[in-house]
Amino acid sequence: MGWIEFGVSMVIFMASHRIPAAFGVKRALVSALGAKGYMLAFSLFSTALLVWVISAAGRAPVVALWDQTSMARWAVNLVMPVSILLVVFGTAAANPFAFEGRRAGFDPVRPGIVGVTRQPLLWALLLWSGAHIWANGDLAHVLLFGVFAFFSVVGMRLVERRRRQDMGEPAWAELAARTSVLPLAALLSGRWKPRSGPSLARLVLACLIWITAWHAHVPVIGVYPGP
Protein backbone atom coordinates (compact mmCIF):
# COMPACT_ATOMS: atom_id res chain seq x y z
CA MET A 1 0.00 0.00 0.00
CA GLY A 2 2.89 2.37 0.78
CA TRP A 3 4.34 2.12 -2.72
CA ILE A 4 0.90 2.60 -4.29
CA GLU A 5 0.25 5.81 -2.33
CA PHE A 6 3.72 7.09 -3.19
CA GLY A 7 3.25 6.37 -6.90
CA VAL A 8 -0.23 7.94 -7.01
CA SER A 9 0.92 11.05 -5.17
CA MET A 10 3.86 11.51 -7.56
CA VAL A 11 1.61 11.13 -10.62
CA ILE A 12 -0.92 13.64 -9.28
CA PHE A 13 1.80 16.13 -8.31
CA MET A 14 3.41 15.99 -11.76
CA ALA A 15 0.04 16.13 -13.54
CA SER A 16 -0.96 19.21 -11.54
CA HIS A 17 1.95 21.10 -13.10
CA ARG A 18 1.25 19.97 -16.66
CA ILE A 19 -2.51 19.62 -17.12
CA PRO A 20 -3.53 23.26 -16.36
CA ALA A 21 -1.39 24.67 -19.18
CA ALA A 22 -2.07 21.82 -21.62
CA PHE A 23 -5.88 21.88 -21.42
CA GLY A 24 -6.56 25.58 -20.91
CA VAL A 25 -7.36 25.24 -17.20
CA LYS A 26 -4.74 27.81 -16.28
CA ARG A 27 -6.17 30.37 -18.71
CA ALA A 28 -9.67 29.93 -17.29
CA LEU A 29 -8.47 30.19 -13.68
CA VAL A 30 -6.37 33.28 -14.40
CA SER A 31 -9.41 34.87 -16.01
CA ALA A 32 -11.53 34.06 -12.95
CA LEU A 33 -9.03 34.73 -10.16
CA GLY A 34 -6.61 37.16 -11.76
CA ALA A 35 -2.88 36.48 -12.20
CA LYS A 36 -2.02 37.05 -8.53
CA GLY A 37 -5.02 35.08 -7.29
CA TYR A 38 -4.13 32.16 -9.53
CA MET A 39 -0.49 32.24 -8.42
CA LEU A 40 -1.53 32.22 -4.75
CA ALA A 41 -4.07 29.40 -5.21
CA PHE A 42 -1.70 27.31 -7.31
CA SER A 43 1.16 27.82 -4.83
CA LEU A 44 -1.00 26.68 -1.90
CA PHE A 45 -2.31 23.70 -3.86
CA SER A 46 1.21 22.70 -4.98
CA THR A 47 2.54 23.03 -1.44
CA ALA A 48 -0.21 20.75 -0.12
CA LEU A 49 0.53 18.18 -2.83
CA LEU A 50 4.27 18.41 -2.13
CA VAL A 51 3.68 17.71 1.56
CA TRP A 52 1.58 14.69 0.59
CA VAL A 53 4.27 13.35 -1.78
CA ILE A 54 7.03 13.71 0.83
CA SER A 55 4.85 12.15 3.53
CA ALA A 56 3.95 9.27 1.20
CA ALA A 57 7.66 8.67 0.52
CA GLY A 58 8.17 8.41 4.27
CA ARG A 59 5.43 5.78 4.52
CA ALA A 60 6.79 3.68 1.65
CA PRO A 61 8.72 0.50 2.54
CA VAL A 62 12.31 1.29 3.48
CA VAL A 63 14.89 -0.01 1.01
CA ALA A 64 18.24 1.30 2.24
CA LEU A 65 20.81 2.33 -0.38
CA TRP A 66 23.32 4.16 1.83
CA ASP A 67 23.62 5.37 5.41
CA GLN A 68 22.84 8.92 6.44
CA THR A 69 25.85 10.93 7.67
CA SER A 70 26.18 14.06 9.78
CA MET A 71 27.89 15.76 6.82
CA ALA A 72 24.81 15.14 4.68
CA ARG A 73 22.54 16.64 7.33
CA TRP A 74 24.81 19.68 7.55
CA ALA A 75 24.62 20.03 3.76
CA VAL A 76 20.82 20.18 3.90
CA ASN A 77 20.93 22.86 6.62
CA LEU A 78 23.41 24.97 4.64
CA VAL A 79 21.60 24.57 1.32
CA MET A 80 18.03 25.18 2.49
CA PRO A 81 18.46 28.90 3.38
CA VAL A 82 19.97 29.46 -0.08
CA SER A 83 17.07 27.63 -1.75
CA ILE A 84 14.51 29.66 0.20
CA LEU A 85 16.25 32.91 -0.71
CA LEU A 86 16.17 31.96 -4.39
CA VAL A 87 12.45 31.13 -4.18
CA VAL A 88 11.50 34.32 -2.35
CA PHE A 89 13.55 36.64 -4.56
CA GLY A 90 12.69 34.78 -7.76
CA THR A 91 8.90 34.54 -7.37
CA ALA A 92 7.05 37.31 -9.24
CA ALA A 93 10.34 39.14 -9.88
CA ALA A 94 10.88 41.07 -13.10
CA ASN A 95 12.40 38.18 -15.04
CA PRO A 96 11.57 37.54 -18.71
CA PHE A 97 13.69 34.37 -18.76
CA ALA A 98 11.90 32.20 -16.17
CA PHE A 99 8.39 30.76 -16.01
CA GLU A 100 7.86 32.15 -12.49
CA GLY A 101 8.92 35.72 -13.32
CA ARG A 102 6.99 38.60 -14.85
CA ARG A 103 8.15 40.01 -18.15
CA ALA A 104 7.16 43.61 -17.46
CA GLY A 105 9.56 45.88 -15.65
CA PHE A 106 12.83 44.05 -16.31
CA ASP A 107 15.85 46.37 -16.53
CA PRO A 108 18.87 44.65 -18.15
CA VAL A 109 21.17 47.22 -16.54
CA ARG A 110 19.80 46.40 -13.07
CA PRO A 111 18.75 42.75 -13.38
CA GLY A 112 18.37 42.10 -9.63
CA ILE A 113 17.92 38.40 -8.85
CA VAL A 114 18.33 37.65 -12.57
CA GLY A 115 21.93 38.81 -12.20
CA VAL A 116 22.40 35.95 -9.74
CA THR A 117 20.74 33.44 -12.08
CA ARG A 118 18.08 33.55 -14.78
CA GLN A 119 16.38 30.47 -13.26
CA PRO A 120 16.17 31.03 -9.48
CA LEU A 121 13.25 28.68 -8.77
CA LEU A 122 14.65 25.80 -10.77
CA TRP A 123 18.03 26.21 -9.08
CA ALA A 124 16.27 26.28 -5.71
CA LEU A 125 14.53 23.02 -6.63
CA LEU A 126 17.80 21.44 -7.77
CA LEU A 127 19.68 22.45 -4.62
CA TRP A 128 16.84 21.31 -2.36
CA SER A 129 16.43 17.96 -4.08
CA GLY A 130 20.17 17.31 -4.45
CA ALA A 131 20.89 17.92 -0.77
CA HIS A 132 17.94 15.75 0.28
CA ILE A 133 19.05 12.88 -1.97
CA TRP A 134 22.35 12.82 -0.12
CA ALA A 135 20.68 12.94 3.30
CA ASN A 136 18.00 10.33 2.53
CA GLY A 137 19.61 7.17 1.21
CA ASP A 138 16.50 4.99 0.88
CA LEU A 139 14.89 4.05 -2.42
CA ALA A 140 11.63 6.00 -2.06
CA HIS A 141 13.35 9.28 -1.20
CA VAL A 142 16.03 8.83 -3.85
CA LEU A 143 13.27 8.34 -6.42
CA LEU A 144 11.34 11.32 -5.06
CA PHE A 145 14.17 13.82 -4.95
CA GLY A 146 15.82 12.33 -8.03
CA VAL A 147 12.72 13.09 -10.09
CA PHE A 148 12.70 16.68 -8.84
CA ALA A 149 16.41 17.09 -9.59
CA PHE A 150 15.95 15.64 -13.08
CA PHE A 151 13.03 17.90 -13.94
CA SER A 152 14.80 20.99 -12.60
CA VAL A 153 17.77 20.37 -14.93
CA VAL A 154 15.58 19.52 -17.91
CA GLY A 155 13.30 22.47 -17.10
CA MET A 156 16.21 24.90 -17.22
CA ARG A 157 17.21 23.71 -20.67
CA LEU A 158 13.64 23.85 -21.99
CA VAL A 159 12.79 27.27 -20.53
CA GLU A 160 16.08 28.81 -21.65
CA ARG A 161 15.64 27.49 -25.19
CA ARG A 162 11.99 28.56 -25.41
CA ARG A 163 12.64 32.07 -24.11
CA ARG A 164 15.57 32.50 -26.49
CA GLN A 165 13.43 31.46 -29.44
CA ASP A 166 10.58 33.75 -28.37
CA MET A 167 12.85 36.79 -27.92
CA GLY A 168 15.10 36.29 -30.92
CA GLU A 169 18.88 36.56 -30.79
CA PRO A 170 19.23 40.39 -30.79
CA ALA A 171 16.76 40.89 -27.91
CA TRP A 172 18.19 37.92 -26.00
CA ALA A 173 21.74 39.26 -26.30
CA GLU A 174 20.66 42.67 -25.00
CA LEU A 175 18.51 41.42 -22.12
CA ALA A 176 20.84 38.60 -21.03
CA ALA A 177 24.10 40.57 -21.21
CA ARG A 178 24.43 40.94 -17.42
CA THR A 179 22.90 37.58 -16.48
CA SER A 180 23.77 33.90 -16.50
CA VAL A 181 21.97 30.63 -15.92
CA LEU A 182 24.84 29.41 -13.70
CA PRO A 183 24.48 31.09 -10.29
CA LEU A 184 26.85 34.04 -9.72
CA ALA A 185 28.67 33.48 -13.04
CA ALA A 186 27.76 36.98 -14.27
CA LEU A 187 29.01 38.49 -11.01
CA LEU A 188 32.28 36.55 -10.98
CA SER A 189 32.96 37.37 -14.64
CA GLY A 190 32.41 41.08 -14.02
CA ARG A 191 29.43 41.36 -16.37
CA TRP A 192 27.09 42.23 -13.47
CA LYS A 193 27.81 44.57 -10.57
CA PRO A 194 24.93 45.04 -8.09
CA ARG A 195 23.97 48.68 -7.71
CA SER A 196 21.77 48.26 -4.64
CA GLY A 197 21.20 45.82 -1.81
CA PRO A 198 18.51 43.14 -1.72
CA SER A 199 14.92 43.93 -0.78
CA LEU A 200 14.60 44.05 3.00
CA ALA A 201 10.98 42.89 2.81
CA ARG A 202 11.93 39.79 0.82
CA LEU A 203 14.82 39.07 3.18
CA VAL A 204 12.47 39.18 6.16
CA LEU A 205 9.98 36.95 4.31
CA ALA A 206 12.74 34.43 3.51
CA CYS A 207 13.78 34.32 7.18
CA LEU A 208 10.17 33.77 8.28
CA ILE A 209 9.72 30.95 5.75
CA TRP A 210 12.96 29.30 6.88
CA ILE A 211 11.96 29.50 10.55
CA THR A 212 8.49 28.14 9.74
CA ALA A 213 9.92 25.30 7.65
CA TRP A 214 12.37 24.39 10.41
CA HIS A 215 9.73 24.20 13.13
CA ALA A 216 7.15 22.51 10.88
CA HIS A 217 9.53 19.78 9.75
CA VAL A 218 8.87 17.47 12.68
CA PRO A 219 5.05 17.80 12.89
CA VAL A 220 4.57 17.76 9.09
CA ILE A 221 7.37 15.51 7.79
CA GLY A 222 8.11 13.63 11.00
CA VAL A 223 11.89 14.14 10.90
CA TYR A 224 14.05 16.47 13.01
CA PRO A 225 15.91 18.72 10.53
CA GLY A 226 18.96 19.54 12.66
CA PRO A 227 22.43 18.20 11.78
Side-chain angles (χ1 to χ4, degrees), residues 13-156:
F13 182 84
M14 292 300 173
S16 71
H17 288 73
R18 179 57 185 162
I19 290 175
F23 294 96
V25 176
K26 179 179 178 180
R27 193 181 307 113
L29 289 175
V30 169
S31 177
L33 302 174
K36 291 184 178 179
Y38 171 79
M39 182 63 70
L40 177 60
F42 183 73
S43 297
L44 292 174
F45 181 62
S46 294
T47 301
L49 286 179
L50 181 61
V51 171
W52 179 32
V53 171
I54 295 174
S55 300
R59 288 188 289 271
V62 177
V63 180
L65 301 178
W66 59 79
D67 294 330
Q68 187 180 86
T69 64
S70 59
M71 186 178 295
R73 292 180 72 93
W74 269 110
V76 174
N77 280 270
L78 293 173
V79 165
M80 283 308 299
V82 177
S83 295
I84 291 171
L85 284 168
L86 288 172
V87 170
V88 171
F89 278 88
T91 302
N95 182 357
F97 305 101
F99 71 90
E100 75 275 4
R102 51 185 172 83
R103 301 196 180 191
F106 178 70
D107 182 356
V109 178
R110 295 179 175 84
I113 184 62
V114 189
V116 177
T117 174
R118 291 193 294 265
Q119 304 298 334
L121 258 67
L122 290 174
W123 270 106
L125 179 62
L126 180 58
L127 291 171
W128 170 76
S129 55
H132 279 80
I133 287 174
W134 187 12
N136 295 274
D138 64 277
L139 181 59
H141 285 95
V142 169
L143 289 173
L144 169 68
F145 295 116
V147 167
F148 286 132
F150 173 77
F151 277 104
S152 61
V153 173
V154 172
M156 279 188 230

Side-chain angles (χ1 to χ4, degrees), residues 112-219:
I113 184 62
V114 189
V116 177
T117 174
R118 291 193 294 265
Q119 304 298 334
L121 258 67
L122 290 174
W123 270 106
L125 179 62
L126 180 58
L127 291 171
W128 170 76
S129 55
H132 279 80
I133 287 174
W134 187 12
N136 295 274
D138 64 277
L139 181 59
H141 285 95
V142 169
L143 289 173
L144 169 68
F145 295 116
V147 167
F148 286 132
F150 173 77
F151 277 104
S152 61
V153 173
V154 172
M156 279 188 230
R157 293 177 62 88
L158 292 176
V159 172
E160 289 275 306
R161 184 174 63 187
R162 189 174 302 161
R163 294 293 187 266
R164 193 169 196 141
Q165 291 174 345
D166 292 344
M167 293 179 187
E169 285 300 325
W172 174 275
E174 179 184 355
L175 294 175
R178 292 176 174 83
T179 72
S180 64
V181 67
L182 189 66
L184 300 178
L187 176 66
L188 295 175
S189 66
R191 291 185 290 114
W192 171 56
K193 295 180 181 180
R195 300 191 179 189
S196 61
S199 163
L200 180 60
R202 292 201 182 220
L203 275 177
V204 171
L205 178 59
C207 289
L208 291 175
I209 291 175
W210 177 79
I211 292 170
T212 302
W214 173 275
H215 288 286
H217 209 276
V218 172

